[in-house]
Amino acid sequence: YPCVTGEKATITAYLSAKVGELNIDRLEVSATAHCGVVPPTAPKYQVSVRTTSPVTFVKGLSVNNFALHGDVFQTATGGYGFAGSVTGRIDAGDSVGLEVFYTFDTRDGSWSADTTMEFTSPSLDANLTLSLRPGQCPDTG
């Protein structure tokens, strides 16, 4: 194995694709492996994916500023836990936009999601924000 504890191996790749109306101009993918024995509180592997320009799925619908970051942790039992985040903005034409931020951690089952929807027209501008965080609801009797 070419690297030892304390060192890391990193790779970065760029992807462009056009299939039908799907147009990915440039997608950046990076991965890091931390060599040797890693403490359970530190990631063994890290992966990041992000767009560097809008991704068009169909005419008028695009994803901007998409990013996914994930850490892979090795557990004491030899299994793996995953933690990370996903962010992005979806635009449908000039009048509707949706921003999303999602975090997760499979080691403790936690997650959260935040989203903001924007609507713009000549007579109305509206924003709707929604945040979700699982938790215990108090008993109300």
Side-chain angles (χ1 to χ4, degrees):
Y1 195 70
C3 69
V4 296
T5 300
E7 294 182 337
K8 62 184 177 180
T10 301
I11 185 170
T12 300
Y14 299 92
L15 168 74
S16 296
K18 185 165 179 132
V19 179
E21 294 203 25
L22 173 64
N23 185 15
I24 301 172
D25 185 40
R26 187 173 163 108
L27 186 70
E28 179 182 296
V29 181
S30 298
T32 300
H34 297 274
C35 303
V37 178
V38 176
T41 56
K44 177 76 174 165
Y45 307 102
Q46 296 175 293
V47 176
S48 293
V49 177
R50 72 180 187 98
T51 58
T52 58
S53 63
V55 174
T56 302
F57 290 97
V58 294
K59 187 174 181 176
L61 182 64
S62 61
V63 175
N64 298 292
N65 301 324
F66 172 82
L68 176 144
H69 177 78
D71 292 332
V72 181
F73 298 86
Q74 193 163 17
T75 64
T77 61
Y80 291 95
F82 305 93
S85 63
V86 179
T87 61
R89 177 179 173 85
I90 299 171
D91 290 310
D94 294 329
S95 61
V96 178
L98 180 70
E99 291 188 52
V100 176
F101 182 74
Y102 177 75
T103 61
F104 61 92
D105 191 333
T106 64
R107 295 170 299 165
D108 62 8
S110 63
W111 62 273
S112 67
D114 298 290
T115 185
T116 300
M117 186 177 121
E118 302 165 352
F119 174 78
T120 303
S121 74
S123 58
L124 175 67
D125 289 342
N127 289 321
L128 174 65
T129 300
L130 176 66
S131 293
L132 298 171
R133 308 228 178 336
Q136 298 288 329
C137 294
D139 291 334
T140 57

